[in-house]
Amino acid sequence: MKLQHIAAALALVATGAANAAVQGGTNGDGSLFLIAFDNQNGTTTSAFFDLGYTLNSFASAAGNGSSSALGVLAAPNTTVVWNFNTNTVSLNGGQVTTLGTNSWNAAFTTLLANADQGEIQWVVGANDTVGFGANKRSLISGNVNATAQQREAQNAGNNSNLALITNPQNNDIFYPLTNKGTIGSADNGAYTFTAADGPTTRSNGYVMAGDGFGNNWRNANKMGGTVYAGQENGLWLADGLGNEQLVGRLVFSAEAGTLTFVTTPVPEPSTYAMALLGLGVVGLMARRRRA
């Protein structure tokens, strides 16, 4: 195992403690969540998964959209895989046992049974709803290659879009989920809403309710954060001063039942050596041409 992998694993013994209740962000360190849904062609199915980790796992307690020092999961060469079929999380190939109990498979099965797999869309996020300025932070999914216009739109109106995402009044879309599915019984649970559960309202725990996630949280993400299953998404750390930085890349596979997060790899010493060798060869050829 590489040294940076060992360091990340050891650090997560302390930072990856079990989180018995989903946190919207009112403690400054909101739960990392996945929302997968199908709202096309008359379907009203939406699944919410508490992923066990929190905002600080990626951003650290003081990290923001312009910080160079972030959380342990933002370290180079990091890979995290959530498996919703087996209720497991792996970090750099090793199973994580410090997050408590994961109970996702029933909700995931319900999602697939009540949605068209080709129409499932998804987002990932985690919020801090109590900070100000650079300390008002949010992890939001967005286009890996978000344009300058998209990033500017995210900051428009004195960063009102981020304010909509992190506003506690909008985060109460999580609270009706507290006793639904396995969210109240497992450290990291899940719940899937289907048409059989009634109207698409917050009280039914439907995260696409027009007065909650749909018109506020989702529409306030201007960086292309909602994509279809199988498509790549970026995980961005944004703050109240209008700064954003790409933390890593995400892919949700409805077929495999996994969510995968990866950070940018650090080149191995052998890669540097080959690059230097290549430059040396190019220089030698140039000298020979001049001669």
Side-chain angles (χ1 to χ4, degrees), residues 97-143:
T97 59
T98 57
L99 295 177
T101 57
N102 307 315
S103 184
W104 304 313
N105 58 346
F108 183 72
T109 300
T110 302
L111 169 67
L112 295 186
N114 291 273
D116 184 328
Q117 195 169 124
E119 295 178 347
I120 294 176
Q121 301 176 69
W122 63 281
V123 298
V124 168
N127 300 320
D128 172 356
T129 65
V130 294
F132 296 93
N135 293 322
K136 192 174 190 67
R137 310 166 302 154
S138 183
L139 285 171
I140 58 176
S141 52
N143 192 324

mmCIF file of all heavy atoms in Angstrom, residues 97-143:
data_model
loop_
_atom_site.group_PDB
_atom_site.id
_atom_site.type_symbol
_atom_site.label_atom_id
_atom_site.label_comp_id
_atom_site.label_asym_id
_atom_site.label_seq_id
_atom_site.Cartn_x
_atom_site.Cartn_y
_atom_site.Cartn_z
ATOM 1 N N THR A 97 -14.506 0.284 7.980
ATOM 2 C CA THR A 97 -15.307 -0.277 9.074
ATOM 3 C C THR A 97 -15.609 0.756 10.163
ATOM 4 O O THR A 97 -16.174 0.409 11.197
ATOM 5 C CB THR A 97 -14.580 -1.478 9.715
ATOM 6 O OG1 THR A 97 -13.314 -1.039 10.214
ATOM 7 C CG2 THR A 97 -14.375 -2.598 8.703
ATOM 8 N N THR A 98 -15.234 2.009 9.928
ATOM 9 C CA THR A 98 -15.387 3.034 10.966
ATOM 10 C C THR A 98 -16.632 3.894 10.777
ATOM 11 O O THR A 98 -16.843 4.845 11.540
ATOM 12 C CB THR A 98 -14.157 3.952 10.992
ATOM 13 O OG1 THR A 98 -13.978 4.524 9.689
ATOM 14 C CG2 THR A 98 -12.913 3.181 11.391
ATOM 15 N N LEU A 99 -17.456 3.594 9.792
ATOM 16 C CA LEU A 99 -18.624 4.426 9.521
ATOM 17 C C LEU A 99 -19.891 3.930 10.200
ATOM 18 O O LEU A 99 -20.940 4.547 10.069
ATOM 19 C CB LEU A 99 -18.859 4.516 8.008
ATOM 20 C CG LEU A 99 -17.779 5.220 7.191
ATOM 21 C CD1 LEU A 99 -18.105 5.160 5.709
ATOM 22 C CD2 LEU A 99 -17.595 6.664 7.636
ATOM 23 N N GLY A 100 -19.822 2.798 10.899
ATOM 24 C CA GLY A 100 -21.013 2.240 11.514
ATOM 25 C C GLY A 100 -21.755 1.343 10.533
ATOM 26 O O GLY A 100 -21.185 0.814 9.581
ATOM 27 N N THR A 101 -23.052 1.180 10.753
ATOM 28 C CA THR A 101 -23.849 0.282 9.917
ATOM 29 C C THR A 101 -24.375 1.009 8.678
ATOM 30 O O THR A 101 -24.879 2.126 8.764
ATOM 31 C CB THR A 101 -25.045 -0.275 10.705
ATOM 32 O OG1 THR A 101 -25.830 0.827 11.199
ATOM 33 C CG2 THR A 101 -24.570 -1.128 11.863
ATOM 34 N N ASN A 102 -24.247 0.352 7.540
ATOM 35 C CA ASN A 102 -24.788 0.869 6.292
ATOM 36 C C ASN A 102 -25.997 0.017 5.907
ATOM 37 O O ASN A 102 -25.916 -1.213 5.917
ATOM 38 C CB ASN A 102 -23.751 0.790 5.175
ATOM 39 C CG ASN A 102 -22.437 1.450 5.556
ATOM 40 O OD1 ASN A 102 -22.429 2.546 6.107
ATOM 41 N ND2 ASN A 102 -21.325 0.794 5.262
ATOM 42 N N SER A 103 -27.096 0.658 5.576
ATOM 43 C CA SER A 103 -28.295 -0.079 5.193
ATOM 44 C C SER A 103 -28.943 0.605 3.999
ATOM 45 O O SER A 103 -29.842 1.442 4.150
ATOM 46 C CB SER A 103 -29.281 -0.155 6.370
ATOM 47 O OG SER A 103 -30.395 -0.944 6.037
ATOM 48 N N TRP A 104 -28.456 0.261 2.794
ATOM 49 C CA TRP A 104 -28.883 0.923 1.575
ATOM 50 C C TRP A 104 -29.586 -0.006 0.584
ATOM 51 O O TRP A 104 -30.300 0.461 -0.294
ATOM 52 C CB TRP A 104 -27.665 1.523 0.853
ATOM 53 C CG TRP A 104 -26.846 2.467 1.649
ATOM 54 C CD1 TRP A 104 -27.289 3.511 2.408
ATOM 55 C CD2 TRP A 104 -25.411 2.482 1.756
ATOM 56 N NE1 TRP A 104 -26.228 4.185 2.975
ATOM 57 C CE2 TRP A 104 -25.061 3.575 2.594
ATOM 58 C CE3 TRP A 104 -24.389 1.709 1.222
ATOM 59 C CZ2 TRP A 104 -23.741 3.883 2.905
ATOM 60 C CZ3 TRP A 104 -23.071 2.012 1.521
ATOM 61 C CH2 TRP A 104 -22.751 3.097 2.359
ATOM 62 N N ASN A 105 -29.340 -1.316 0.670
ATOM 63 C CA ASN A 105 -29.722 -2.200 -0.430
ATOM 64 C C ASN A 105 -31.233 -2.254 -0.671
ATOM 65 O O ASN A 105 -31.673 -2.344 -1.812
ATOM 66 C CB ASN A 105 -29.145 -3.608 -0.245
ATOM 67 C CG ASN A 105 -29.575 -4.255 1.055
ATOM 68 O OD1 ASN A 105 -30.090 -3.588 1.957
ATOM 69 N ND2 ASN A 105 -29.368 -5.546 1.166
ATOM 70 N N ALA A 106 -32.040 -2.202 0.397
ATOM 71 C CA ALA A 106 -33.489 -2.255 0.198
ATOM 72 C C ALA A 106 -33.975 -1.031 -0.574
ATOM 73 O O ALA A 106 -34.799 -1.147 -1.495
ATOM 74 C CB ALA A 106 -34.200 -2.359 1.540
ATOM 75 N N ALA A 107 -33.472 0.142 -0.221
ATOM 76 C CA ALA A 107 -33.868 1.369 -0.908
ATOM 77 C C ALA A 107 -33.376 1.365 -2.351
ATOM 78 O O ALA A 107 -34.066 1.842 -3.262
ATOM 79 C CB ALA A 107 -33.329 2.588 -0.164
ATOM 80 N N PHE A 108 -32.176 0.823 -2.562
ATOM 81 C CA PHE A 108 -31.641 0.775 -3.921
ATOM 82 C C PHE A 108 -32.469 -0.172 -4.795
ATOM 83 O O PHE A 108 -32.763 0.129 -5.954
ATOM 84 C CB PHE A 108 -30.181 0.338 -3.893
ATOM 85 C CG PHE A 108 -29.538 0.336 -5.255
ATOM 86 C CD1 PHE A 108 -29.234 1.528 -5.884
ATOM 87 C CD2 PHE A 108 -29.253 -0.856 -5.910
ATOM 88 C CE1 PHE A 108 -28.666 1.536 -7.157
ATOM 89 C CE2 PHE A 108 -28.677 -0.857 -7.166
ATOM 90 C CZ PHE A 108 -28.383 0.339 -7.793
ATOM 91 N N THR A 109 -32.846 -1.300 -4.230
ATOM 92 C CA THR A 109 -33.689 -2.245 -4.964
ATOM 93 C C THR A 109 -35.024 -1.617 -5.330
ATOM 94 O O THR A 109 -35.533 -1.786 -6.447
ATOM 95 C CB THR A 109 -33.917 -3.525 -4.125
ATOM 96 O OG1 THR A 109 -32.662 -4.146 -3.855
ATOM 97 C CG2 THR A 109 -34.814 -4.506 -4.859
ATOM 98 N N THR A 110 -35.609 -0.866 -4.401
ATOM 99 C CA THR A 110 -36.880 -0.180 -4.658
ATOM 100 C C THR A 110 -36.717 0.869 -5.749
ATOM 101 O O THR A 110 -37.598 1.059 -6.594
ATOM 102 C CB THR A 110 -37.408 0.469 -3.372
ATOM 103 O OG1 THR A 110 -37.571 -0.543 -2.369
ATOM 104 C CG2 THR A 110 -38.743 1.157 -3.605
ATOM 105 N N LEU A 111 -35.593 1.578 -5.735
ATOM 106 C CA LEU A 111 -35.317 2.576 -6.772
ATOM 107 C C LEU A 111 -35.330 1.935 -8.153
ATOM 108 O O LEU A 111 -35.999 2.424 -9.072
ATOM 109 C CB LEU A 111 -33.963 3.240 -6.511
ATOM 110 C CG LEU A 111 -33.406 4.119 -7.634
ATOM 111 C CD1 LEU A 111 -34.274 5.360 -7.828
ATOM 112 C CD2 LEU A 111 -31.951 4.520 -7.346
ATOM 113 N N LEU A 112 -34.603 0.839 -8.313
ATOM 114 C CA LEU A 112 -34.517 0.186 -9.618
ATOM 115 C C LEU A 112 -35.859 -0.394 -10.052
ATOM 116 O O LEU A 112 -36.185 -0.394 -11.245
ATOM 117 C CB LEU A 112 -33.465 -0.924 -9.581
ATOM 118 C CG LEU A 112 -32.010 -0.496 -9.367
ATOM 119 C CD1 LEU A 112 -31.087 -1.693 -9.514
ATOM 120 C CD2 LEU A 112 -31.606 0.616 -10.334
ATOM 121 N N ALA A 113 -36.645 -0.865 -9.082
ATOM 122 C CA ALA A 113 -37.925 -1.488 -9.407
ATOM 123 C C ALA A 113 -38.975 -0.466 -9.829
ATOM 124 O O ALA A 113 -39.971 -0.828 -10.473
ATOM 125 C CB ALA A 113 -38.429 -2.288 -8.212
ATOM 126 N N ASN A 114 -38.761 0.807 -9.479
ATOM 127 C CA ASN A 114 -39.775 1.833 -9.739
ATOM 128 C C ASN A 114 -39.268 2.956 -10.627
ATOM 129 O O ASN A 114 -39.886 4.027 -10.689
ATOM 130 C CB ASN A 114 -40.274 2.417 -8.422
ATOM 131 C CG ASN A 114 -41.086 1.437 -7.610
ATOM 132 O OD1 ASN A 114 -42.293 1.325 -7.794
ATOM 133 N ND2 ASN A 114 -40.413 0.706 -6.718
ATOM 134 N N ALA A 115 -38.159 2.728 -11.314
ATOM 135 C CA ALA A 115 -37.597 3.748 -12.192
ATOM 136 C C ALA A 115 -37.094 3.090 -13.471
ATOM 137 O O ALA A 115 -36.785 1.898 -13.499
ATOM 138 C CB ALA A 115 -36.444 4.479 -11.490
ATOM 139 N N ASP A 116 -37.039 3.882 -14.525
ATOM 140 C CA ASP A 116 -36.402 3.446 -15.758
ATOM 141 C C ASP A 116 -34.913 3.707 -15.602
ATOM 142 O O ASP A 116 -34.491 4.849 -15.426
ATOM 143 C CB ASP A 116 -36.968 4.236 -16.939
ATOM 144 C CG ASP A 116 -36.417 3.777 -18.280
ATOM 145 O OD1 ASP A 116 -35.250 3.343 -18.332
ATOM 146 O OD2 ASP A 116 -37.141 3.863 -19.277
ATOM 147 N N GLN A 117 -34.106 2.647 -15.636
ATOM 148 C CA GLN A 117 -32.682 2.795 -15.347
ATOM 149 C C GLN A 117 -32.011 3.817 -16.257
ATOM 150 O O GLN A 117 -31.090 4.516 -15.841
ATOM 151 C CB GLN A 117 -31.991 1.437 -15.476
ATOM 152 C CG GLN A 117 -30.602 1.396 -14.862
ATOM 153 C CD GLN A 117 -30.045 -0.004 -14.774
ATOM 154 O OE1 GLN A 117 -28.957 -0.308 -15.277
ATOM 155 N NE2 GLN A 117 -30.787 -0.898 -14.138
ATOM 156 N N GLY A 118 -32.494 3.937 -17.487
ATOM 157 C CA GLY A 118 -31.912 4.899 -18.411
ATOM 158 C C GLY A 118 -32.332 6.332 -18.149
ATOM 159 O O GLY A 118 -31.784 7.257 -18.759
ATOM 160 N N GLU A 119 -33.299 6.545 -17.240
ATOM 161 C CA GLU A 119 -33.777 7.893 -16.937
ATOM 162 C C GLU A 119 -33.391 8.351 -15.532
ATOM 163 O O GLU A 119 -33.792 9.434 -15.103
ATOM 164 C CB GLU A 119 -35.302 7.949 -17.091
ATOM 165 C CG GLU A 119 -35.774 7.716 -18.519
ATOM 166 C CD GLU A 119 -37.282 7.727 -18.650
ATOM 167 O OE1 GLU A 119 -37.959 7.668 -17.597
ATOM 168 O OE2 GLU A 119 -37.775 7.777 -19.782
ATOM 169 N N ILE A 120 -32.628 7.542 -14.812
ATOM 170 C CA ILE A 120 -32.222 7.915 -13.453
ATOM 171 C C ILE A 120 -31.179 9.026 -13.510
ATOM 172 O O ILE A 120 -30.159 8.914 -14.193
ATOM 173 C CB ILE A 120 -31.667 6.703 -12.686
ATOM 174 C CG1 ILE A 120 -32.772 5.668 -12.452
ATOM 175 C CG2 ILE A 120 -31.059 7.138 -11.349
ATOM 176 C CD1 ILE A 120 -32.295 4.399 -11.779
ATOM 177 N N GLN A 121 -31.448 10.109 -12.786
ATOM 178 C CA GLN A 121 -30.503 11.220 -12.653
ATOM 179 C C GLN A 121 -30.018 11.272 -11.208
ATOM 180 O O GLN A 121 -30.644 10.716 -10.311
ATOM 181 C CB GLN A 121 -31.176 12.536 -13.036
ATOM 182 C CG GLN A 121 -31.711 12.551 -14.461
ATOM 183 C CD GLN A 121 -32.466 13.835 -14.757
ATOM 184 O OE1 GLN A 121 -31.884 14.917 -14.841
ATOM 185 N NE2 GLN A 121 -33.771 13.721 -14.915
ATOM 186 N N TRP A 122 -28.912 11.969 -10.987
ATOM 187 C CA TRP A 122 -28.354 11.952 -9.633
ATOM 188 C C TRP A 122 -27.534 13.200 -9.339
ATOM 189 O O TRP A 122 -27.028 13.862 -10.242
ATOM 190 C CB TRP A 122 -27.502 10.697 -9.428
ATOM 191 C CG TRP A 122 -26.298 10.609 -10.338
ATOM 192 C CD1 TRP A 122 -26.281 10.223 -11.654
ATOM 193 C CD2 TRP A 122 -24.942 10.936 -10.013
ATOM 194 N NE1 TRP A 122 -25.008 10.273 -12.160
ATOM 195 C CE2 TRP A 122 -24.165 10.701 -11.169
ATOM 196 C CE3 TRP A 122 -24.309 11.377 -8.852
ATOM 197 C CZ2 TRP A 122 -22.783 10.915 -11.199
ATOM 198 C CZ3 TRP A 122 -22.931 11.588 -8.887
ATOM 199 C CH2 TRP A 122 -22.187 11.349 -10.048
ATOM 200 N N VAL A 123 -27.451 13.495 -8.050
ATOM 201 C CA VAL A 123 -26.607 14.578 -7.534
ATOM 202 C C VAL A 123 -25.988 14.107 -6.214
ATOM 203 O O VAL A 123 -26.492 13.192 -5.562
ATOM 204 C CB VAL A 123 -27.388 15.878 -7.281
ATOM 205 C CG1 VAL A 123 -27.994 16.425 -8.557
ATOM 206 C CG2 VAL A 123 -28.463 15.663 -6.227
ATOM 207 N N VAL A 124 -24.909 14.748 -5.838
ATOM 208 C CA VAL A 124 -24.257 14.498 -4.551
ATOM 209 C C VAL A 124 -24.016 15.846 -3.893
ATOM 210 O O VAL A 124 -23.763 16.847 -4.572
ATOM 211 C CB VAL A 124 -22.917 13.745 -4.738
ATOM 212 C CG1 VAL A 124 -22.095 13.736 -3.450
ATOM 213 C CG2 VAL A 124 -23.178 12.313 -5.202
ATOM 214 N N GLY A 125 -24.089 15.895 -2.550
ATOM 215 C CA GLY A 125 -23.827 17.154 -1.868
ATOM 216 C C GLY A 125 -23.599 16.983 -0.386
ATOM 217 O O GLY A 125 -23.799 15.902 0.180
ATOM 218 N N ALA A 126 -23.152 18.049 0.247
ATOM 219 C CA ALA A 126 -22.996 18.144 1.705
ATOM 220 C C ALA A 126 -22.882 19.629 2.027
ATOM 221 O O ALA A 126 -22.210 20.374 1.295
ATOM 222 C CB ALA A 126 -21.764 17.393 2.192
ATOM 223 N N ASN A 127 -23.507 20.065 3.113
ATOM 224 C CA ASN A 127 -23.616 21.500 3.369
ATOM 225 C C ASN A 127 -23.136 21.917 4.756
ATOM 226 O O ASN A 127 -23.128 21.134 5.700
ATOM 227 C CB ASN A 127 -25.075 21.946 3.212
ATOM 228 C CG ASN A 127 -25.614 21.693 1.831
ATOM 229 O OD1 ASN A 127 -24.921 21.892 0.847
ATOM 230 N ND2 ASN A 127 -26.859 21.243 1.751
ATOM 231 N N ASP A 128 -22.747 23.204 4.822
ATOM 232 C CA ASP A 128 -22.531 23.906 6.085
ATOM 233 C C ASP A 128 -23.510 25.075 6.055
ATOM 234 O O ASP A 128 -23.346 25.994 5.259
ATOM 235 C CB ASP A 128 -21.092 24.408 6.175
ATOM 236 C CG ASP A 128 -20.831 25.311 7.378
ATOM 237 O OD1 ASP A 128 -21.787 25.607 8.115
ATOM 238 O OD2 ASP A 128 -19.673 25.723 7.566
ATOM 239 N N THR A 129 -24.544 25.029 6.886
ATOM 240 C CA THR A 129 -25.599 26.051 6.831
ATOM 241 C C THR A 129 -25.440 27.147 7.873
ATOM 242 O O THR A 129 -26.310 28.004 8.000
ATOM 243 C CB THR A 129 -26.982 25.396 7.007
ATOM 244 O OG1 THR A 129 -27.062 24.849 8.326
ATOM 245 C CG2 THR A 129 -27.210 24.303 5.982
ATOM 246 N N VAL A 130 -24.343 27.133 8.621
ATOM 247 C CA VAL A 130 -24.206 28.106 9.702
ATOM 248 C C VAL A 130 -23.034 29.060 9.512
ATOM 249 O O VAL A 130 -22.928 30.061 10.216
ATOM 250 C CB VAL A 130 -24.056 27.393 11.073
ATOM 251 C CG1 VAL A 130 -25.333 26.654 11.418
ATOM 252 C CG2 VAL A 130 -22.854 26.453 11.083
ATOM 253 N N GLY A 131 -22.143 28.787 8.584
ATOM 254 C CA GLY A 131 -20.970 29.631 8.393
ATOM 255 C C GLY A 131 -21.299 30.899 7.617
ATOM 256 O O GLY A 131 -22.401 31.078 7.091
ATOM 257 N N PHE A 132 -20.302 31.799 7.530
ATOM 258 C CA PHE A 132 -20.449 33.035 6.786
ATOM 259 C C PHE A 132 -19.231 33.220 5.890
ATOM 260 O O PHE A 132 -18.132 32.772 6.212
ATOM 261 C CB PHE A 132 -20.587 34.239 7.730
ATOM 262 C CG PHE A 132 -21.832 34.208 8.574
ATOM 263 C CD1 PHE A 132 -21.805 33.655 9.843
ATOM 264 C CD2 PHE A 132 -23.028 34.720 8.091
ATOM 265 C CE1 PHE A 132 -22.949 33.615 10.627
ATOM 266 C CE2 PHE A 132 -24.169 34.687 8.874
ATOM 267 C CZ PHE A 132 -24.135 34.140 10.136
ATOM 268 N N GLY A 133 -19.450 33.907 4.768
ATOM 269 C CA GLY A 133 -18.330 34.190 3.875
ATOM 270 C C GLY A 133 -17.647 32.921 3.411
ATOM 271 O O GLY A 133 -18.276 31.984 2.938
ATOM 272 N N ALA A 134 -16.320 32.882 3.581
ATOM 273 C CA ALA A 134 -15.553 31.726 3.149
ATOM 274 C C ALA A 134 -15.917 30.479 3.938
ATOM 275 O O ALA A 134 -15.649 29.354 3.496
ATOM 276 C CB ALA A 134 -14.055 32.005 3.293
ATOM 277 N N ASN A 135 -16.515 30.661 5.114
ATOM 278 C CA ASN A 135 -16.900 29.518 5.947
ATOM 279 C C ASN A 135 -18.311 29.012 5.655
ATOM 280 O O ASN A 135 -18.753 28.056 6.280
ATOM 281 C CB ASN A 135 -16.785 29.889 7.429
ATOM 282 C CG ASN A 135 -15.341 30.120 7.835
ATOM 283 O OD1 ASN A 135 -14.447 29.429 7.389
ATOM 284 N ND2 ASN A 135 -15.127 31.123 8.674
ATOM 285 N N LYS A 136 -19.005 29.657 4.728
ATOM 286 C CA LYS A 136 -20.303 29.142 4.277
ATOM 287 C C LYS A 136 -20.019 28.242 3.093
ATOM 288 O O LYS A 136 -19.883 28.687 1.956
ATOM 289 C CB LYS A 136 -21.238 30.264 3.882
ATOM 290 C CG LYS A 136 -22.681 29.805 3.684
ATOM 291 C CD LYS A 136 -23.592 30.987 3.438
ATOM 292 C CE LYS A 136 -25.056 30.583 3.470
ATOM 293 N NZ LYS A 136 -25.494 30.167 4.813
ATOM 294 N N ARG A 137 -19.913 26.954 3.358
ATOM 295 C CA ARG A 137 -19.353 26.025 2.379
ATOM 296 C C ARG A 137 -20.383 24.989 1.948
ATOM 297 O O ARG A 137 -21.327 24.685 2.668
ATOM 298 C CB ARG A 137 -18.144 25.318 2.978
ATOM 299 C CG ARG A 137 -17.124 26.268 3.623
ATOM 300 C CD ARG A 137 -16.136 25.521 4.472
ATOM 301 N NE ARG A 137 -16.785 24.753 5.517
ATOM 302 C CZ ARG A 137 -16.277 23.652 6.076
ATOM 303 N NH1 ARG A 137 -15.116 23.189 5.674
ATOM 304 N NH2 ARG A 137 -16.934 23.007 7.026
ATOM 305 N N SER A 138 -20.161 24.458 0.778
ATOM 306 C CA SER A 138 -21.017 23.391 0.303
ATOM 307 C C SER A 138 -20.249 22.531 -0.679
ATOM 308 O O SER A 138 -19.481 23.046 -1.505
ATOM 309 C CB SER A 138 -22.263 23.966 -0.374
ATOM 310 O OG SER A 138 -23.130 22.929 -0.789
ATOM 311 N N LEU A 139 -20.420 21.217 -0.572
ATOM 312 C CA LEU A 139 -19.966 20.305 -1.611
ATOM 313 C C LEU A 139 -21.123 20.133 -2.576
ATOM 314 O O LEU A 139 -22.223 19.752 -2.171
ATOM 315 C CB LEU A 139 -19.580 18.949 -1.015
ATOM 316 C CG LEU A 139 -18.262 18.870 -0.252
ATOM 317 C CD1 LEU A 139 -18.139 17.517 0.448
ATOM 318 C CD2 LEU A 139 -17.068 19.086 -1.179
ATOM 319 N N ILE A 140 -20.904 20.442 -3.833
ATOM 320 C CA ILE A 140 -21.943 20.303 -4.832
ATOM 321 C C ILE A 140 -21.387 19.550 -6.033
ATOM 322 O O ILE A 140 -20.220 19.692 -6.384
ATOM 323 C CB ILE A 140 -22.501 21.669 -5.288
ATOM 324 C CG1 ILE A 140 -21.378 22.560 -5.844
ATOM 325 C CG2 ILE A 140 -23.216 22.366 -4.149
ATOM 326 C CD1 ILE A 140 -21.873 23.882 -6.396
ATOM 327 N N SER A 141 -22.229 18.742 -6.633
ATOM 328 C CA SER A 141 -21.813 18.078 -7.854
ATOM 329 C C SER A 141 -21.965 19.056 -9.009
ATOM 330 O O SER A 141 -22.865 19.905 -9.023
ATOM 331 C CB SER A 141 -22.629 16.803 -8.089
ATOM 332 O OG SER A 141 -24.012 17.072 -8.026
ATOM 333 N N GLY A 142 -21.059 18.953 -9.977
ATOM 334 C CA GLY A 142 -21.082 19.854 -11.119
ATOM 335 C C GLY A 142 -20.175 19.338 -12.220
ATOM 336 O O GLY A 142 -19.346 18.447 -11.995
ATOM 337 N N ASN A 143 -20.319 19.903 -13.384
ATOM 338 C CA ASN A 143 -19.509 19.510 -14.529
ATOM 339 C C ASN A 143 -18.021 19.572 -14.184
ATOM 340 O O ASN A 143 -17.549 20.580 -13.667
ATOM 341 C CB ASN A 143 -19.817 20.446 -15.705
ATOM 342 C CG ASN A 143 -19.259 19.948 -17.020
ATOM 343 O OD1 ASN A 143 -18.182 19.361 -17.072
ATOM 344 N ND2 ASN A 143 -19.993 20.193 -18.083
#
